[in-house]
Amino acid sequence: MEAHSSEVFVIGLTVFFLACIIGYYVVWSVTPALHSPLMGVTNAISSVIIVGAILAAGPQGFDTSKIFGLIGVVLASVNIFGGFLVTYRMLSMFKKKTKKTKEKD
Amino acid sequence: MSSNMVAILYLISALLFIFALRGLSHPESSRMGNIFGIIGMIIAVFTTLMFKSVLSYYEIGAAILIGGAIGSFIALRIEMTALPQLVAAFHSLVGLAAVFVAAAAFYDPVAFSIGKVGSIKTASLVEMSIGTFIGAITFSGSVLAFGKLQGTISGKPIVFKFQHLINAIIFLLIIFLIVLFVINQSPTIFWTIVIVSILLGFLVVIPIGGADMPVVVSMLNSYSGWAACGIGFTLSNNLLIITGALVGASGAILSYIMSKGMNRSIINVVLGGFGGEQDSSASKDNSDKIVKQGNAEDAAYIMKNADSVIIVPGYGMAVAQAQHALREMGDILKKEGIEVRYAIHPVAGRMPGHMNVLLAEANVPYEEVLELDEINHDFPMTEVSFVIGANDVTNPAAKTDESSPIFGMPILDVEKSQSVLFVKRSMATGYSGVDNELFYRDNTTMLFGDAKKMCEDIVKSLSA
């Protein structure tokens, strides 16, 4: 992706503010009971930063940048798997309880 | 793959992330939302792997497997009571990853098309250093929050002279360093920014007490989003910008909700010094007042003869691991035809929504679990309030006593119910250090003991 500095920056800024507004409305619609899963999901998706880490780790050979990239991939993967899985665990507890089937555990 | 194709796939991925959050508006749609999030992430990762410049599939694959295995292992084993620590730990990783990605971009700008070593574009340098700064703060702040939540570090706020002045000076120093970095692009300055930012992250969280952690965890959630945004701007990547903004907004809103639940401004929480163990000398001397004490059988008798019971769980309930015994108690009462509901205060746990998860884990149906504004007007029509492991969130002083540190905090109106049962270990004050006048009222019965043991004993008496 080529970058024509100022133009690209303005596009990024536009996207940024629109995304903030979407985020604002979407998050207020989240039911308070699910605020913990919300943190789990946001935690997982913020690791989309892995995209940058993959680009850095991409080239062949080994240099500083590649090592940093690979470390970034490991860290972000911990979060992606961990974040989605722990959210999955939380959400599966919020299943509608079918009457009296789980009386004793 | 053409750059248009890439942009479209990234857009799809961003939309799926928005749907993932949207799904959380209801428990029934939430699991689908989580799946949207996972699909979005898979699309983002594979799209990036298709780039021409990305060739080392084995190394990247191995890195994903290692990280994924560690993440899965932790996520599957973690106790739900330890959720806040886990989230704090995860935030620290996002922050650290942001620092590494920024460093990688600095050392190999060609791979990110932002210039050449030594002549990186100014805008990219600014964005890169801001991303690094926020990432590093998120990292160290989260590590400290993790320590405080886990108990490895004392939850007491650590306050010292000129704290805020020192932080302000460090912040100015970082701005100065960033300017310097943009001018001469020196690696030494880059790493100095990282180290000083890490220091600032520690200093920012250090004065904040254990009970204020819900706000801190939410705030770090927000920071981790802004860090992703910073990197997104550096790489001119809209997916990162959108996702970062979503996460940033989410964390900011949660921090706002949490501080409102304590009737304090975010600034006040951030400046810190509140919470932790405080001497209760400020509270009025109540030693001459009489407290009505009861035992499990009394409690069982009172509740058995009621029509409606509202259970008010607090963090103490979670600490005592009493949620399963509590649910069992609720089940027996329901079988007797008594209406049982749960009232959750916004700051009942150690992170937003924590108490709801703990109750859900104990198989309490979510329809029975209500938020403060949903249930507060029902207390006058309720016969028994069963308060377990909560204190400050029921204290009427928040409404009447202007000199009280918790004045103005929204509380659950348990005092309006016909009788109140208080399960507590001792007469100790809550974390705010304020005495609760409810303890001395005629219609209050204190049940002293461990929350779990008390619930089990009540269950025994109820089934006897």
Side-chain angles (χ1 to χ4, degrees):
Chain A
M1 275 179 281
E2 69 275 20
H4 302 292
S5 40
S6 73
E7 199 183 311
V8 169
F9 177 74
V10 173
I11 293 173
L13 211 60
T14 312
V15 170
F16 173 74
F17 281 114
L18 293 178
C20 282
I21 292 168
I22 292 175
Y24 179 85
Y25 286 104
V26 171
V27 172
W28 273 115
S29 78
V30 172
T31 168
L34 294 180
H35 277 160
S36 284
L38 172 67
M39 292 196 106
V41 167
T42 52
N43 187 61
I45 65 172
S46 64
S47 304
V48 73
I49 207 163
I50 195 172
V51 165
I54 291 176
L55 287 180
Q60 272 168 333
F62 262 98
D63 57 2
T64 329
S65 164
K66 179 162 185 177
I67 294 167
F68 287 159
L70 285 174
I71 298 175
V73 173
V74 173
L75 294 173
S77 308
V78 173
N79 249 308
I80 293 171
F81 283 76
F84 281 126
L85 260 177
V86 86
T87 310
Y88 170 81
R89 274 186 64 195
M90 283 189 257
L91 292 178
S92 51
M93 293 166 186
F94 282 92
K95 280 200 178 122
K96 234 188 172 78
K97 305 282 170 336
T98 33
K99 269 182 188 162
K100 314 263 167 169
T101 43
K102 287 186 195 166
E103 200 74 311
K104 280 272 165 184
D105 41 329
Chain B
M1 209 185 298
S2 75
S3 64
N4 275 339
M5 192 63 200
V6 169
I8 288 171
L9 285 171
Y10 277 165
L11 175 65
I12 293 173
S13 162
L15 290 174
L16 285 167
F17 288 159
I18 295 171
F19 293 143
L21 301 192
R22 183 75 186 114
L24 291 168
S25 56
H26 194 274
E28 293 309 309
S29 59
S30 61
R31 281 176 293 278
M32 201 56 219
N34 201 31
I35 291 168
F36 282 145
I38 295 170
I39 298 172
M41 189 59 80
I42 293 171
I43 292 176
V45 168
F46 276 94
T47 306
T48 316
L49 286 173
M50 302 296 262
F51 275 48
K52 266 202 297 287
S53 63
V54 178
L55 297 162
S56 46
Y57 298 115
Y58 290 113
E59 290 101 316
I60 294 172
I64 292 178
L65 280 182
I66 296 171
I70 300 172
S72 312
F73 179 77
I74 299 170
L76 290 176
R77 297 209 31 184
I78 194 82
E79 296 275 342
M80 284 298 146
T81 33
L83 214 50
Q85 294 88 301
L86 177 78
V87 169
F90 279 168
H91 289 157
S92 78
L93 298 182
V94 182
L96 198 57
V99 172
F100 276 111
V101 174
F106 175 57
Y107 280 89
D108 186 6
V110 181
F112 296 92
S113 335
I114 52 168
K116 294 194 186 70
V117 178
S119 58
I120 300 172
K121 288 186 205 112
T122 309
S124 303
L125 284 168
V126 176
E127 292 153 359
M128 184 190 294
S129 40
I130 292 175
T132 308
F133 161 63
I134 306 175
I137 284 198
T138 312
F139 166 65
S140 54
S142 303
V143 167
L144 195 61
F146 169 82
K148 286 194 176 200
L149 287 162
Q150 179 79 16
T152 28
I153 305 168
S154 156
K156 265 193 235 172
I158 297 170
V159 197
F160 49 87
K161 248 188 178 168
F162 305 124
Q163 200 159 22
H164 305 313
L165 187 67
I166 292 171
N167 289 353
I169 291 171
I170 295 179
F171 180 68
L172 290 176
L173 174 69
I174 292 172
I175 292 178
F176 173 71
L177 285 169
I178 290 177
V179 173
L180 216 58
F181 172 70
V182 171
I183 295 167
N184 69 10
Q185 311 198 9
S186 138
T188 325
I189 297 183
F190 177 83
W191 292 110
T192 315
I193 294 174
V194 173
I195 292 167
V196 178
S197 306
I198 286 179
L199 178 73
L200 185 61
F202 280 127
L203 288 173
V204 164
V205 176
I206 241 179
I208 305 175
D212 279 351
M213 282 299 140
V215 186
V216 176
V217 173
S218 319
M219 235 164 43
L220 292 165
N221 184 238
S222 179
Y223 289 174
S224 70
W226 305 132
C229 259
I231 303 298
F233 276 107
T234 317
L235 311 183
S236 312
N237 183 322
N238 286 342
L239 172 62
L240 258 65
I241 296 176
I242 295 173
T243 314
L246 290 178
V247 176
S250 160
I253 290 174
L254 289 178
S255 326
Y256 169 77
I257 295 174
M258 289 296 109
S259 349
K260 210 167 155 245
M262 298 191 278
N263 188 40
R264 297 169 53 204
S265 68
I266 292 184
I267 307 290
N268 179 277
V269 175
V270 173
L271 293 182
F274 194 85
E277 291 150 52
Q278 291 180 343
D279 61 328
S280 47
S281 54
S283 61
K284 282 170 256 161
D285 186 21
N286 276 309
S287 51
D288 52 337
K289 289 200 202 163
I290 298 158
V291 169
K292 195 163 77 186
Q293 253 196 68
N295 56 26
E297 283 118 64
D298 303 331
Y301 179 78
I302 294 172
M303 284 193 279
K304 218 173 186 169
N305 289 299
D307 299 326
S308 50
V309 173
I310 295 180
I311 298 171
V312 181
Y315 188 63
M317 186 275 297
V319 172
Q321 294 283 350
Q323 54 271 42
H324 291 274
L326 185 67
R327 193 258 311 154
E328 221 177 306
M329 186 188 94
D331 280 351
I332 297 179
L333 291 172
K334 271 191 286 178
K335 252 190 233 157
E336 301 269 335
I338 300 158
E339 186 194 26
V340 178
R341 288 177 302 169
Y342 297 78
I344 308 286
H345 191 274
V347 293
R350 278 289 183 271
M351 73 185 268
H354 191 198
M355 199 54 67
N356 303 75
V357 172
L358 294 173
L359 291 175
E361 189 193 17
N363 277 324
V364 174
Y366 62 80
E367 302 90 350
E368 291 172 18
V369 182
L370 299 164
E371 304 298 318
L372 184 129
D373 359 324
E374 294 171 324
I375 201 166
N376 229 1
H377 50 263
D378 285 359
F379 278 105
M381 285 91 83
T382 301
E383 272 182 61
V384 181
S385 293
F386 186 80
V387 186
I388 177 161
N391 182 1
D392 290 333
V393 299
T394 64
N395 195 337
K399 283 194 280 194
T400 52
D401 181 3
E402 270 180 65
S403 65
S404 171
I406 59 168
F407 180 72
M409 181 170 101
I411 61 157
L412 290 159
D413 295 330
V414 295
E415 93 254 25
K416 290 187 182 156
S417 58
Q418 284 173 30
S419 59
V420 184
L421 296 171
F422 249 105
V423 181
K424 254 181 134 297
R425 265 175 313 185
S426 66
M427 281 301 285
T429 53
Y431 95 92
S432 65
V434 187
D435 199 10
N436 194 341
E437 57 167 293
L438 263 185
F439 299 164
Y440 311 102
R441 295 213 177 158
D442 287 340
N443 60 348
T444 303
T445 308
M446 300 298 293
L447 307 165
F448 291 115
D450 174 70
K452 188 179 177 186
K453 179 102 196 344
M454 185 56 72
C455 289
E456 286 167 353
D457 289 348
I458 295 174
V459 167
K460 263 183 230 154
S461 319
L462 281 173
S463 6

